Amino acid sequence: QVQLVESGGGSVQAGGSLRLSCAASGYMDSRNYMGWFRQAPGKEREGVAVIYTGGGRTYYADSVKGRFTISQDNAKNTVYLQMNSLKPADTAMYYCAAPLHPPMPWVALRPGEYNYWGQGTQVTVSS
């Protein structure tokens, strides 16, 4: 059973930074994809970034490109999301997720293709 636990959320002012962590436990193929998603109140869950843990390839949604960085520490089974230049529009519950099978295409960031989800961590950005 795969378990994902997010941490690192909080409240910051616009322009600030936060680093989210996602610790994975249980069996997981070392060559897998890990994604970060977010959901704001009244909105659909949307993909933010994805990383291929087998080689480090990354992909970002246009809304966060250049501001967010997804990275991994395989020794710790942890994926990070460094968020800089935060905006009020980034306010949401952030989730990490992993698929059972490689998403096709891997850059699609479709929540329906991810099977394992963490409980989420809240990020609030004030203006």
Side-chain angles (χ1 to χ4, degrees), residues 39-125:
Q39 188 166 20
K43 294 189 176 181
E44 291 188 354
R45 192 167 295 188
E46 63 172 352
V48 173
V50 58
I51 187 167
Y52 174 55
T53 59
R57 286 184 299 172
T58 60
Y59 180 80
Y60 300 90
D62 287 342
S63 58
V64 305
K65 202 171 293 183
R67 300 188 297 121
F68 290 12
T69 302
I70 188 171
S71 61
Q72 64 187 57
D73 184 334
N74 285 344
K76 296 181 179 180
N77 285 336
T78 300
V79 172
Y80 304 97
L81 186 68
Q82 177 67 44
M83 306 186 296
N84 298 328
S85 301
L86 282 162
K87 306 174 182 179
D90 296 316
T91 295
M93 186 72 80
Y94 282 71
Y95 301 89
C96 67
L100 265 175
H101 306 289
M104 295 294 291
W106 73 279
V107 299
L109 282 170
R110 287 190 285 258
E113 293 190 287
Y114 287 73
N115 306 92
Y116 302 107
W117 293 83
Q119 82 288 350
T121 186
Q122 177 68 37
V123 171
T124 302
V125 184

